[in-house]
Amino acid sequence: MPLQIAKLDSAQPDFKRRLSALLAFEATTDESIDSAVAAILHDVKARGDAAVLEYTNRFDRIPGGAAGMAAFDVPQSELDAALAGLPAAQRGALETAAARVRVFHQRQKEELRDFSFTEADGTVLGQRVTPLDRVGIYVPGGKATYPSSVLMNAIPAQVAGVKEIIMVVPTPDGVKNQMVLAAAAIAGVTRVITIGGAQAVGALAYGTETIAAVDKIVGPGNAYVAAAKRRVFGTVGIDMIAGPSEILILCDGSTDPDWVAMDLFSQAEHDELAQSILLCPDAAYIARVEESLNRLLPGMTRRDIIRVSLGGRGALVKVRDMLEACEIANTIAPEHLEISAENPRRWADLVRHAGAIFLGRFSSESLGDYCCGPNHVLPTSRTARFSSPLGVYDFQKRSSMLHVSEAGAQTLGKVAAVLAYGEGLQAHARSAELRVKGAAGNAQ
Amino acid sequence: MPLQIAKLDSAQPDFKRRLSALLAFEATTDESIDSAVAAILHDVKARGDAAVLEYTNRFDRIPGGAAGMAAFDVPQSELDAALAGLPAAQRGALETAAARVRVFHQRQKEELRDFSFTEADGTVLGQRVTPLDRVGIYVPGGKATYPSSVLMNAIPAQVAGVKEIIMVVPTPDGVKNQMVLAAAAIAGVTRVITIGGAQAVGALAYGTETIAAVDKIVGPGNAYVAAAKRRVFGTVGIDMIAGPSEILILCDGSTDPDWVAMDLFSQAEHDELAQSILLCPDAAYIARVEESLNRLLPGMTRRDIIRVSLGGRGALVKVRDMLEACEIANTIAPEHLEISAENPRRWADLVRHAGAIFLGRFSSESLGDYCCGPNHVLPTSRTARFSSPLGVYDFQKRSSMLHVSEAGAQTLGKVAAVLAYGEGLQAHARSAELRVKGAAGNAQ
């Protein structure tokens, strides 16, 4: 059975409607999940460790036993042993990836600095950048365990200077993923606790007798974890709640069609809702890519997922030219954008919205997913219009610094008072005026 | 009747419990507000302008009339006229404040730049910073109209390079605030529409026939506006949803007690839930501040609000020393922190969490609220632990740039493949391997 994938042409009169139907994705909140999560969070907030123990026993089938919560703490020695025990190729790959991620994020850190400037009257204004104190990293367990996620979430926090990086990872039936533990050892995680689900999010957000409350929680999770993160937002910071992963490939027809086909697969294999779209001005080339897709599909281990994903949400789109392709890319604002073309920078300069831009035919998304260095946690579902890749800046915050001189208070005080009276805020005005020598009403 | 205000001492055995009870503030979501907002948003999404018109007629008592939505557009000439018509002192104060806010945020913009670096094999990695395309600014109408908010929300967007800055402001019964319109003229707002409430948030988030959908919505509003912003988050970006405003004053006892009292008032006058706290090691000085509070209160126009606010959520706290005061400040993570002391920088260096830090006795919060330059939109309710003042960075986003050379693809491809196979993602591995010359299975 040939692969089903939508074929669009930007010259079609109803192209815009078709494209927007293709992109439509409503993250529906399941009410039953949300209310189950509310109950768990409430329970963890009220009963602390006892609640976390009960839910972990129930959902992950791990008896806490006499050790209680201590049974869930993974000692550093176990992390080191996991790293030492990996096959050399895996260990080397993890270490290479971590080193590269660290270099890139170190560069990012240099960008965000304190500044201050002094005005003529001696007033000093500035901005101070400080790391968060304590961060929680959620790592999914069970069928989808991604050591690369550990690197991508923990290393920016470590580079930012976060002192405590607490990783939670559910281990259903007590089965621990050795690559995940090894990645934690490499990435500078300071504590690993084998709990998961809404109860782990609650424990990190509110704190328990044995877990100190964190300031921010990052990392992917299932629908329960996502609902819990939404609910604790405000008490703690959270990263974006990710939608399905997406790739958009702009190709001028000069790349081996097998490469493009495999790049589309690499996104589609994530899950049935992932989205893979190709934009190309060359109809004959699109046909060659389709031929590659059909020829390569039977050899893919995750072909059933790929078939559903490409059939439901994928598309091969004939565009007028590369210029139009860039315009459409700005509408889609994709998580991953590959510009597989001669002189890719020419087109990249026309793209305003994308989480990560892969330039040239050698820059496959999968290299970025694992080891180029830039983060693989990227804005999905068109949110690249207003948000950024996960970065060091997500683990830092700024404070404004204002040191007004006595002379500055004389001039600024009068300006502030006029505006404060204009807004009907008399105490604001008086507070400014009290610092002004001989201001009207100061004898009051 | 003397002012009621809690008096605490850090030497009390139950001080921590008392402090945490004082700080406790649960932003309760009113279910009836939330469901009303859900219905309005749904209606605006489905019916566009027609729904916005109906709700504006109903809630603000403004008939759209034959002009329809066009009746709500405020032409640039009307903004210019508002500015020209202001008393000279008000116009000058607005212009001075705007100029200072612009200078500070310009400095902030310089901090966030593109970067890229080239590796030995020719691979180029980097980060690109771009402004958002279109931003919505919500400005409350009715009793609380703050022109300073217009400056603080619009100027960072303009400095960031946002092309379209759309301000919505409800004008109940058609009454327009001239200072607000003048501030819009000064701050570079590109369009002003006199609509408000959840219907305005919906119109900005989803777009209508006459209003283009924006990428982010910022600005304060009532409970309906806050609920609407929460609901459209994801479709568009939003700023933080602010809790009640707070000030924490650390004083070594060397400042005129009237100044400190008035600074506490200036926060308390905002609303009954605002929080004003003084930390001081000198019990005699605290008594003098209390005397000032009682003496100055009768002269305050908003004394009824101040009395409730200080009585319900204010406190005068005796601490052991300034060092302990800094530790407590880190627990409170206040929106505004005044360090009214000799050598304030010494103490500021010990504070990790605060939205804005005002150093020295001449730096009253009210100067920062209006005209120092740094933003007055600051993280409340302990969120300064993980978030920052509103800034230019809120109107910019980053894209990662990855240009892998052919040589780079050889080495990176092998690393990526090992990790991808380790995670069971074969298409990711194959996508990397296809770019590696002579890799196993490339003939497949």
Side-chain angles (χ1 to χ4, degrees), chain A residues 150-177:
Chain A
V150 178
L151 303 184
M152 293 295 182
N153 283 279
I155 290 176
Q158 192 198 29
V159 171
V162 176
K163 291 274 191 307
E164 290 183 58
I165 304 173
I166 303 176
M167 176 174 129
V168 294
V169 54
T171 53
D173 300 309
V175 180
K176 294 174 191 164
N177 181 302

Short mmCIF file of all heavy atoms in Angstrom, two decimals, chain A residues 150-177:
data_model
loop_
_atom_site.label_atom_id
_atom_site.label_comp_id
_atom_site.label_asym_id
_atom_site.label_seq_id
_atom_site.Cartn_x
_atom_site.Cartn_y
_atom_site.Cartn_z
N VAL A 150 17.98 14.61 28.90
CA VAL A 150 18.66 14.93 30.16
C VAL A 150 19.76 15.95 29.89
O VAL A 150 19.88 16.96 30.59
CB VAL A 150 19.26 13.66 30.79
CG1 VAL A 150 20.02 13.99 32.07
CG2 VAL A 150 18.17 12.62 31.08
N LEU A 151 20.55 15.71 28.84
CA LEU A 151 21.62 16.65 28.50
C LEU A 151 21.05 18.03 28.17
O LEU A 151 21.54 19.05 28.66
CB LEU A 151 22.42 16.16 27.28
CG LEU A 151 23.08 14.77 27.37
CD1 LEU A 151 23.91 14.53 26.10
CD2 LEU A 151 23.96 14.66 28.61
N MET A 152 20.01 18.06 27.34
CA MET A 152 19.50 19.32 26.83
C MET A 152 18.82 20.16 27.92
O MET A 152 18.78 21.38 27.84
CB MET A 152 18.51 19.07 25.69
CG MET A 152 19.17 18.48 24.44
SD MET A 152 20.36 19.62 23.69
CE MET A 152 20.91 18.68 22.25
N ASN A 153 18.24 19.50 28.92
CA ASN A 153 17.58 20.25 29.99
C ASN A 153 18.52 20.60 31.14
O ASN A 153 18.40 21.67 31.73
CB ASN A 153 16.37 19.46 30.52
CG ASN A 153 15.17 19.55 29.59
OD1 ASN A 153 14.43 20.53 29.62
ND2 ASN A 153 14.98 18.56 28.74
N ALA A 154 19.45 19.70 31.45
CA ALA A 154 20.28 19.93 32.63
C ALA A 154 21.49 20.82 32.34
O ALA A 154 21.86 21.64 33.17
CB ALA A 154 20.75 18.58 33.21
N ILE A 155 22.09 20.67 31.17
CA ILE A 155 23.33 21.41 30.92
C ILE A 155 23.11 22.94 30.92
O ILE A 155 23.89 23.66 31.54
CB ILE A 155 24.03 20.91 29.64
CG1 ILE A 155 24.58 19.49 29.90
CG2 ILE A 155 25.17 21.84 29.22
CD1 ILE A 155 25.22 18.82 28.68
N PRO A 156 22.06 23.45 30.27
CA PRO A 156 21.86 24.91 30.35
C PRO A 156 21.69 25.40 31.79
O PRO A 156 22.17 26.49 32.14
CB PRO A 156 20.58 25.15 29.54
CG PRO A 156 20.46 23.97 28.66
CD PRO A 156 21.08 22.82 29.39
N ALA A 157 21.02 24.59 32.62
CA ALA A 157 20.85 24.98 34.02
C ALA A 157 22.20 25.02 34.72
O ALA A 157 22.51 25.97 35.46
CB ALA A 157 19.92 24.00 34.73
N GLN A 158 23.02 24.03 34.44
CA GLN A 158 24.34 23.98 35.08
C GLN A 158 25.20 25.14 34.61
O GLN A 158 25.86 25.80 35.41
CB GLN A 158 25.01 22.64 34.74
CG GLN A 158 26.25 22.37 35.58
CD GLN A 158 27.13 21.30 34.98
OE1 GLN A 158 27.16 21.10 33.76
NE2 GLN A 158 27.87 20.60 35.83
N VAL A 159 25.18 25.42 33.31
CA VAL A 159 25.97 26.52 32.77
C VAL A 159 25.49 27.85 33.36
O VAL A 159 26.29 28.75 33.64
CB VAL A 159 25.90 26.55 31.22
CG1 VAL A 159 26.53 27.82 30.67
CG2 VAL A 159 26.59 25.32 30.64
N ALA A 160 24.19 27.97 33.56
CA ALA A 160 23.65 29.21 34.14
C ALA A 160 24.15 29.44 35.55
O ALA A 160 24.19 30.58 36.02
CB ALA A 160 22.12 29.17 34.12
N GLY A 161 24.54 28.35 36.22
CA GLY A 161 25.04 28.49 37.59
C GLY A 161 24.03 28.03 38.64
O GLY A 161 24.18 28.35 39.82
N VAL A 162 23.01 27.29 38.22
CA VAL A 162 22.03 26.76 39.17
C VAL A 162 22.74 25.76 40.09
O VAL A 162 23.40 24.84 39.61
CB VAL A 162 20.86 26.06 38.44
CG1 VAL A 162 19.90 25.42 39.43
CG2 VAL A 162 20.13 27.06 37.55
N LYS A 163 22.59 25.97 41.40
CA LYS A 163 23.34 25.15 42.36
C LYS A 163 22.74 23.75 42.50
O LYS A 163 23.46 22.77 42.64
CB LYS A 163 23.35 25.81 43.73
CG LYS A 163 24.18 27.09 43.81
CD LYS A 163 25.63 26.79 44.10
CE LYS A 163 26.40 28.08 44.44
NZ LYS A 163 26.26 29.13 43.41
N GLU A 164 21.40 23.67 42.53
CA GLU A 164 20.76 22.38 42.73
C GLU A 164 19.90 22.01 41.53
O GLU A 164 18.96 22.73 41.20
CB GLU A 164 19.88 22.42 43.98
CG GLU A 164 20.67 22.51 45.27
CD GLU A 164 19.73 22.48 46.48
OE1 GLU A 164 18.97 21.50 46.62
OE2 GLU A 164 19.74 23.45 47.25
N ILE A 165 20.23 20.93 40.89
CA ILE A 165 19.47 20.44 39.74
C ILE A 165 18.92 19.07 40.11
O ILE A 165 19.66 18.09 40.20
CB ILE A 165 20.36 20.35 38.48
CG1 ILE A 165 21.01 21.71 38.19
CG2 ILE A 165 19.56 19.85 37.28
CD1 ILE A 165 22.04 21.68 37.07
N ILE A 166 17.62 19.04 40.37
CA ILE A 166 16.98 17.82 40.86
C ILE A 166 16.22 17.16 39.71
O ILE A 166 15.32 17.75 39.13
CB ILE A 166 16.01 18.15 42.01
CG1 ILE A 166 16.77 18.87 43.13
CG2 ILE A 166 15.34 16.88 42.53
CD1 ILE A 166 15.89 19.32 44.26
N MET A 167 16.62 15.96 39.39
CA MET A 167 15.97 15.24 38.29
C MET A 167 15.01 14.22 38.87
O MET A 167 15.35 13.49 39.79
CB MET A 167 17.05 14.55 37.46
CG MET A 167 16.54 13.68 36.34
SD MET A 167 17.97 13.09 35.35
CE MET A 167 17.61 11.33 35.33
N VAL A 168 13.78 14.20 38.33
CA VAL A 168 12.84 13.14 38.69
C VAL A 168 12.60 12.30 37.45
O VAL A 168 12.49 12.82 36.34
CB VAL A 168 11.51 13.68 39.25
CG1 VAL A 168 11.72 14.39 40.58
CG2 VAL A 168 10.83 14.61 38.25
N VAL A 169 12.56 11.00 37.64
CA VAL A 169 12.32 10.09 36.51
C VAL A 169 11.58 8.86 37.05
O VAL A 169 12.06 8.17 37.94
CB VAL A 169 13.65 9.68 35.82
CG1 VAL A 169 14.66 9.10 36.79
CG2 VAL A 169 13.39 8.71 34.66
N PRO A 170 10.37 8.63 36.54
CA PRO A 170 9.64 7.45 37.01
C PRO A 170 10.33 6.19 36.51
O PRO A 170 10.87 6.17 35.41
CB PRO A 170 8.26 7.62 36.39
CG PRO A 170 8.47 8.47 35.18
CD PRO A 170 9.63 9.37 35.51
N THR A 171 10.33 5.17 37.33
CA THR A 171 10.93 3.89 36.92
C THR A 171 9.90 2.80 37.17
O THR A 171 9.99 2.07 38.16
CB THR A 171 12.21 3.60 37.72
OG1 THR A 171 11.92 3.71 39.11
CG2 THR A 171 13.31 4.57 37.37
N PRO A 172 8.91 2.69 36.27
CA PRO A 172 7.84 1.70 36.47
C PRO A 172 8.44 0.31 36.73
O PRO A 172 9.37 -0.10 36.03
CB PRO A 172 7.07 1.74 35.15
CG PRO A 172 7.33 3.11 34.59
CD PRO A 172 8.74 3.44 35.02
N ASP A 173 7.93 -0.35 37.74
CA ASP A 173 8.42 -1.67 38.16
C ASP A 173 9.90 -1.65 38.54
O ASP A 173 10.55 -2.69 38.58
CB ASP A 173 8.18 -2.72 37.04
CG ASP A 173 6.69 -2.85 36.71
OD1 ASP A 173 5.90 -3.02 37.64
OD2 ASP A 173 6.33 -2.71 35.52
N GLY A 174 10.41 -0.46 38.81
CA GLY A 174 11.78 -0.36 39.31
C GLY A 174 12.85 -0.47 38.24
O GLY A 174 14.04 -0.55 38.56
N VAL A 175 12.46 -0.46 36.95
CA VAL A 175 13.44 -0.61 35.89
C VAL A 175 14.08 0.74 35.57
O VAL A 175 13.40 1.68 35.17
CB VAL A 175 12.79 -1.18 34.60
CG1 VAL A 175 13.84 -1.32 33.50
CG2 VAL A 175 12.11 -2.51 34.89
N LYS A 176 15.40 0.84 35.75
CA LYS A 176 16.10 2.09 35.49
C LYS A 176 16.84 2.04 34.15
O LYS A 176 17.49 1.04 33.85
CB LYS A 176 17.11 2.37 36.62
CG LYS A 176 16.46 2.63 37.96
CD LYS A 176 17.52 2.74 39.05
CE LYS A 176 16.86 2.73 40.43
NZ LYS A 176 17.84 2.46 41.51
N ASN A 177 16.75 3.13 33.39
CA ASN A 177 17.46 3.22 32.11
C ASN A 177 18.90 3.68 32.37
O ASN A 177 19.13 4.78 32.88
CB ASN A 177 16.72 4.20 31.20
CG ASN A 177 17.36 4.33 29.83
OD1 ASN A 177 18.53 4.69 29.72
ND2 ASN A 177 16.60 4.05 28.78
#
